[in-house]
């Protein structure tokens, strides 16, 4: 298997990439950025002139200085066979998030290998075996954390990252799991996903990486073995053991493990949440509808207890809200969502580098595929309607993304109008609060006469949206005198705004009540007049406004399309606009419309995001041939941008092999009318499944 090409970013000043990395060490908060490789090149005819180039990499074996030096040596072989310059030295930097040190290996060619580490102050330290063990484990976790999901979003974030699979054999798996076992109870030091408030022994970047590894590779027996051993030291690990048992369809054993462990630790919130998740999933099984309510009641009990056990964790409240949604108890779902503690999203540590002097992004002949190669050129100059660029929900991450998903699921099930009714039943509305607490005196102004609930899509000027400290200050959706049409051509008359989406009336925020009345007892008395209604949190009110934006643009799009079709006219959009509309439909749980938009995008040009969106549909429908055709193109696109490893694409191929058998999947790949070099890239993923002895590879 040929390795991906090597991107090169040229330094303006020699060693500036290393210096820039050193400056950011103190600010790192997560697993650390991808590894940095800096090379010094010289032309044999002019040895006095040195040039510094660099690239980033994940998934290289970081278990010792020798393994990192070996990576630099592979680059010198490539260089000597392809270039007029030669590499005379190289530095490999790999972050150890346990000890907060940057491990460095300095290779001079020909000559020596020097290894050391740099602390946050820039001081040199000795690189011990213990530090290398920590570094190796961080490196594997980073490879999974920084891998792309197939849609290309991660690849586009950081330019020129080579991505390798850190665990490709049962031998390397053994080393990975041995390191994980040794350092397991220090995993909380690495931090956790942004939806977890306080990292602990079972909720941190190490456990998330382990679960992702087992889920991706299907190596459930290895996971069960690891967590069985660790459970003897701490009962908390039972939740992780149960999760892997559930992954491997060992439900009876998983339930038994949770049942026994909760008796020992009745208020372990992760165990309770794992139970609630399982029961909710079982309740929604269409094969046992008569057990639905009973199972949901059990899920409700577990989810409710987990919020008591961990009241400051977002995940427990979100699970409780999801259970209420499944029970169709909309009022409790909304009040529970309002109780969720929200956290500012902490993004992955990314490299902060000076502007490079030159950028060289080579393409290997092995990844040549016309439809993919033309993607960057065809994107140039694409038009995007401003209303599509200002959809704030597309920027949501972490707790806000999850909460928004719960809100959109409710909307998909009961409709926007019904959701607004439930909102006004549950929360104190601005209009009723004003009329109750401040009786009108004399003539009301025009603004006060207006009923906010009648502001519809074609709306008139309105009060500004309440501020949102969690989001960028984008232009408010208010103040538009007419609904914008997304296109204005082909002579279609009539505005899509005729399909109106009611604008959410304003709620009263906790800070508005407090600022108006500092006396807590008086505040309680005021609120008791509103039939025990709640005050809507500012962030949830903002989510309603953002959902209104999404629904408004979605409605305009669907109405316009219907108008164009009725007049047999072509509804024209740029590829990027179709991509945005597809993501919009996906957010609103309209999968059929999302696929329609993604297909329209792909009819214009290649888009990994659109193809990944359609692949989800192919997998759900068990459409093997279309799934394989999509995977081949996504694998090739990834490889073209220096990534030979995407856990999601590996999982897709593993699932196809499990369902259809390796022989059939290999023959479908081979029967595709694409160049052999392209097919070989996907065969490589199938070979990984064979190396891991995945189900379906026996034949």
């Amino acid at each position: 298997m040929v390795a991906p090409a090597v991107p090169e970013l040229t330094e303006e000043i020699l060693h500036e990439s290393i210096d820039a990395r050193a400056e950011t060490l103190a600010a790192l908060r997560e697993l650390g950025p991808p590894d940095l490789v800096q090379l010094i090149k010289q032309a044999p005819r002019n040895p006095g002139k040195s040039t510094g180039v660099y690239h980033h990499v994940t998934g290289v074996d970081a278990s010792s200085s020798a393994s990192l030096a070996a990576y630099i040596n592979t680059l010198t072989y490539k260089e000597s066979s392809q270039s007029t310059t030669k590499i005379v030295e190289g530095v490999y930097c790999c972050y150890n998030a346990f000890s907060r040190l940057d491990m460095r290996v300095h290779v001079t060619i020909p000559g020596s290998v020097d290894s050391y580490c740099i602390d946050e102050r820039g001081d040199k330290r000795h690189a011990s075996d213990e530090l290398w063990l920590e570094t190796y484990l961080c490196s594997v976790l980073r490879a999974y954390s920084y891998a792309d999901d197939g849609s290309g979003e991660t690849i586009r974030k950081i330019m020129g990252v080579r991505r390798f699979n850190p665990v490709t054999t049962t031998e390397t798996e053994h080393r990975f799991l041995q390191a994980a076992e040794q350092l397991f109870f220090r995993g909380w030091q690495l931090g956790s996903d942004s939806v977890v408030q306080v990292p602990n022994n079972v909720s941190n970047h190490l456990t998330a990486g382990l679960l992702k590894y087992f889920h991706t590779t299907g190596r459930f027996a290895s996971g069960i073995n690891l967590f069985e051993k660790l459970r003897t030291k701490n009962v908390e690990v039972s939740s992780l053991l149960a999760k892997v048992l559930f992954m491997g369809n060992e439900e009876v054993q998983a339930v038994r493990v949770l049942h026994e462990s909760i008796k020992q630790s009745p208020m372990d919130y992760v165990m309770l949440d794992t139970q609630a998740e399982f029961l909710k999933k079982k309740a929604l099984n269409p094969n046992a509808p008569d057990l639905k309510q009973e199972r949901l009641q059990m899920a409700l009990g577990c989810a409710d207890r987990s919020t008591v056990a961990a009241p400051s964790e977002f995940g427990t409240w979100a699970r409780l809200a999801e259970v209420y949604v499944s029970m169709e108890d909309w009022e409790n779902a909304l009040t529970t969502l309002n109780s969720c503690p929200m956290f500012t999203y902490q993004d992955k540590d990314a490299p902060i580098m000076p502007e490079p002097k030159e950028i060289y992004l080579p393409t290997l002949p092995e990844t040549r595929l016309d439809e993919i190669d033309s993607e960057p050129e065809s994107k140039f100059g694409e038009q995007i309607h401003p209303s599509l660029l200002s959809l704030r929900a597309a920027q949501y991450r972490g707790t806000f993304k999850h909460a928004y998903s719960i809100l959109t699921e409710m909307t998909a099930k009961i409709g926007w109008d019904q959701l607004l009714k439930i909102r006004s039943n549950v929360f104190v509305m601005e209009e009723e609060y004003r009329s109750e607490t401040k009786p009108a005196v004399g003539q009301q102004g025009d603004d006060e006469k207006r009923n906010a609930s009648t502001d519809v899509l074609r709306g008139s000027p309105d009060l500004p949206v309440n501020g949102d400290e969690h989001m960028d200050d984008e232009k408010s959706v208010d103040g538009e005198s007419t609904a914008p049409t997304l296109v204005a051509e082909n002579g279609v008359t009539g505005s899509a705004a005729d399909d109106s989406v009611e604008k959410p009336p304003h709620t009263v925020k906790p800070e508005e009540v407090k600022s108006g009345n500092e006396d807590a007892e008086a505040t309680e008395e005021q609120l008791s007049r509103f039939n025990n209604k709640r005050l809507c949190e500012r962030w949830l009110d903002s989510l309603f406004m953002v959902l209104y934006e999404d629904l408004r643009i979605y409605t305009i799009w669907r109405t316009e399309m219907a108008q164009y079709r009725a007049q047999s006219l072509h509804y024209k959009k740029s590829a990027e606009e179709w991509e945005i509309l597809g993501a919009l439909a996906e957010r609103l749980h309209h999968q059929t419309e999302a696929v329609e938009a993604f297909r329209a995008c792909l009819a214009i040009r290649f888009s990994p995001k659109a193809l990944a969106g359609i692949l989800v549909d192919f997998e759900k429908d068990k459409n093997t041939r279309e799934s394989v055709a999509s995977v081949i193109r996504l694998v090739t696109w990834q490889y073209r941008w220096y990534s030979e490893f995407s856990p999601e694409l590996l999982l897709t191929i593993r699932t196809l092999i499990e369902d259809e058998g390796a022989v059939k999947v290999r023959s479908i790949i081979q029967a595709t009318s694409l160049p052999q070099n392209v097919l070989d890239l996907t065969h490589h993923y199938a070979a990984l499944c064979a190396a891991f002895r995945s189900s379906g590879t026996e034949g």
Side-chain angles (χ1 to χ4, degrees), residues 25-47:
L25 291 179
L28 299 179
R29 293 174 60 183
E30 298 281 312
L31 285 169
D35 303 351
L36 172 68
V37 179
Q38 189 244 17
L39 307 167
I40 304 295
K41 291 183 170 188
Q42 288 178 355
R45 293 178 185 174
N46 188 6

Side-chain angles (χ1 to χ4, degrees), residues 39 47 81 141 150 168 181 208 236 287 453 494-495 546 607 631 646 668:
L39 307 167
S81 63
L141 297 173
T168 54
E181 186 181 348
E236 282 180 86
N287 298 327
S453 68
S495 168
V546 169
S607 155
V631 166
S646 165
I668 292 172

Side-chain angles (χ1 to χ4, degrees), residues 152-159 163 345 347-348 350 397:
E153 287 194 19
T154 308
I155 283 178
R156 289 196 170 105
K157 267 187 179 175
I158 309 169
M159 189 186 294
R163 289 174 170 85
Y345 178 67
D347 206 351
K348 294 183 179 77
R397 300 287 181 271

Side-chain angles (χ1 to χ4, degrees), residues 153-275:
E153 287 194 19
T154 308
I155 283 178
R156 289 196 170 105
K157 267 187 179 175
I158 309 169
M159 189 186 294
V161 183
R162 298 181 92 202
R163 289 174 170 85
F164 296 95
N165 186 346
V167 183
T168 54
T169 62
T170 50
E171 291 75 29
T172 50
E173 178 195 86
H174 179 68
R175 184 167 53 181
F176 165 46
L177 298 185
Q178 213 172 21
E181 186 181 348
Q182 278 180 259
L183 296 167
F184 184 84
F185 292 106
R186 288 179 56 202
W188 61 270
Q189 295 173 356
L190 299 175
S192 61
D193 190 73
S194 63
V195 298
V196 176
Q197 171 81 319
V198 183
N200 61 26
N201 283 332
V202 293
S203 296
N204 57 61
H205 282 310
L206 172 55
T207 57
L210 286 166
L211 290 173
K212 188 167 184 182
Y213 172 77
F214 298 130
H215 177 63
T216 301
T217 59
R219 300 283 296 170
F220 307 128
S222 300
I224 291 163
N225 182 39
L226 171 70
F227 293 137
E228 281 281 17
K229 282 191 280 184
L230 290 165
R231 185 167 72 126
T232 60
K233 298 176 184 174
N234 190 321
V235 71
E236 282 180 86
V237 181
S238 301
S239 59
L240 299 174
L241 174 59
K243 283 177 192 207
V244 179
L245 286 164
F246 284 135
M247 284 179 197
N249 291 320
E250 301 275 354
E251 288 184 357
V252 174
Q253 184 58 24
V255 169
R256 193 174 292 137
V257 164
L258 286 172
H259 178 69
E260 289 167 5
S261 305
I262 280 180
K263 278 196 279 188
Q264 290 180 59
S265 186
M267 294 306 278
D268 183 303
Y269 89 87
V270 184
M271 278 192 244
L272 289 164
D273 182 65
T274 306
Q275 273 194 330

Side-chain angles (χ1 to χ4, degrees), residues 164-438:
F164 296 95
N165 186 346
V167 183
T168 54
T169 62
T170 50
E171 291 75 29
T172 50
E173 178 195 86
H174 179 68
R175 184 167 53 181
F176 165 46
L177 298 185
Q178 213 172 21
E181 186 181 348
Q182 278 180 259
L183 296 167
F184 184 84
F185 292 106
R186 288 179 56 202
W188 61 270
Q189 295 173 356
L190 299 175
S192 61
D193 190 73
S194 63
V195 298
V196 176
Q197 171 81 319
V198 183
N200 61 26
N201 283 332
V202 293
S203 296
N204 57 61
H205 282 310
L206 172 55
T207 57
L210 286 166
L211 290 173
K212 188 167 184 182
Y213 172 77
F214 298 130
H215 177 63
T216 301
T217 59
R219 300 283 296 170
F220 307 128
S222 300
I224 291 163
N225 182 39
L226 171 70
F227 293 137
E228 281 281 17
K229 282 191 280 184
L230 290 165
R231 185 167 72 126
T232 60
K233 298 176 184 174
N234 190 321
V235 71
E236 282 180 86
V237 181
S238 301
S239 59
L240 299 174
L241 174 59
K243 283 177 192 207
V244 179
L245 286 164
F246 284 135
M247 284 179 197
N249 291 320
E250 301 275 354
E251 288 184 357
V252 174
Q253 184 58 24
V255 169
R256 193 174 292 137
V257 164
L258 286 172
H259 178 69
E260 289 167 5
S261 305
I262 280 180
K263 278 196 279 188
Q264 290 180 59
S265 186
M267 294 306 278
D268 183 303
Y269 89 87
V270 184
M271 278 192 244
L272 289 164
D273 182 65
T274 306
Q275 273 194 330
E277 182 184 23
F278 169 69
L279 287 163
K280 176 177 158 292
K281 189 179 172 187
K282 290 299 278 185
L284 301 178
N285 182 349
N287 298 327
D290 49 325
L291 295 171
K292 180 178 177 180
Q293 288 310 314
E294 182 190 340
R295 285 169 172 171
L296 283 174
Q297 280 298 333
M298 290 165 72
L300 182 65
C302 295
D304 195 41
R305 242 170 76 199
S306 71
T307 63
V308 176
S312 65
E313 286 296 339
F314 169 84
T316 57
W317 290 97
R319 181 82 63 209
L320 182 58
E322 287 165 359
V323 172
Y324 279 128
V325 169
S326 298
M327 296 175 85
E328 300 182 4
D329 183 344
W330 311 115
E331 291 198 0
N332 272 322
L334 207 51
T335 51
T336 304
L337 192 59
N338 193 52
S339 302
C340 285
M342 306 301 281
F343 322 133
T344 305
Y345 178 67
Q346 175 68 40
D347 206 351
K348 294 183 179 77
D349 293 318
I352 301 167
M353 292 284 151
E355 194 67 34
K357 184 180 176 183
E358 290 170 11
I359 298 168
Y360 174 55
L361 302 174
T363 307
L364 281 183
E366 286 81 358
T367 66
R368 288 274 181 217
L369 192 59
D370 288 346
E371 65 186 89
I372 288 171
D373 292 342
S374 65
E375 183 219 5
E377 293 78 34
S378 55
K379 277 182 81 169
F380 185 73
E382 279 187 351
Q383 296 295 309
I384 307 170
H385 193 281
S387 65
L388 295 178
L389 289 173
S390 62
L391 292 174
R392 290 180 283 176
Q395 310 307 318
Y396 279 151
R397 300 287 181 271
T399 52
F400 290 91
K401 184 177 182 177
H402 193 149
Y404 189 73
S405 179
I406 295 171
L407 202 57
T408 53
E409 187 185 349
M410 289 175 71
T411 312
K413 287 184 172 173
I414 60 174
W416 175 243
D417 291 345
Q418 187 62 21
L419 184 66
L420 288 186
K421 277 183 194 165
I422 289 160
R423 176 175 175 257
S424 59
N425 289 346
V426 168
F427 300 125
V428 180
M429 305 309 289
E430 186 177 73
E431 191 181 327
E432 63 183 329
Y433 179 73
R434 280 183 178 173
S435 63
E436 182 69 39
T437 58
K438 295 176 186 172

Side-chain angles (χ1 to χ4, degrees), residues 461-519:
D462 194 359
L463 296 164
V465 180
N466 282 294
D468 181 2
E469 61 265 31
H470 298 289
M471 286 181 274
D472 292 333
D473 252 340
E474 302 213 27
K475 186 187 168 197
S476 151
V477 297
D478 302 329
E480 294 183 6
S481 56
T482 58
T485 51
L486 296 181
V487 287
E489 52 185 70
N490 296 350
V492 171
T493 55
S495 168
D498 293 341
D499 240 18
S500 59
V501 176
E502 183 179 329
K503 189 172 199 175
H506 294 295
T507 58
V508 176
K509 315 300 171 302
E511 63 268 28
E512 291 169 350
V513 173
K514 284 168 193 161
S515 64
N517 191 340
E518 294 301 325
D519 184 344

Side-chain angles (χ1 to χ4, degrees), residues 74-93:
T74 62
L75 300 177
T76 64
Y77 304 144
K78 268 180 181 285
E79 187 75 12
S80 59
S81 63
Q82 295 171 357
S83 176
T84 55
T85 59
K86 63 174 185 174
I87 296 168
V88 293
E89 60 181 286
V91 179
Y92 194 113
C93 311

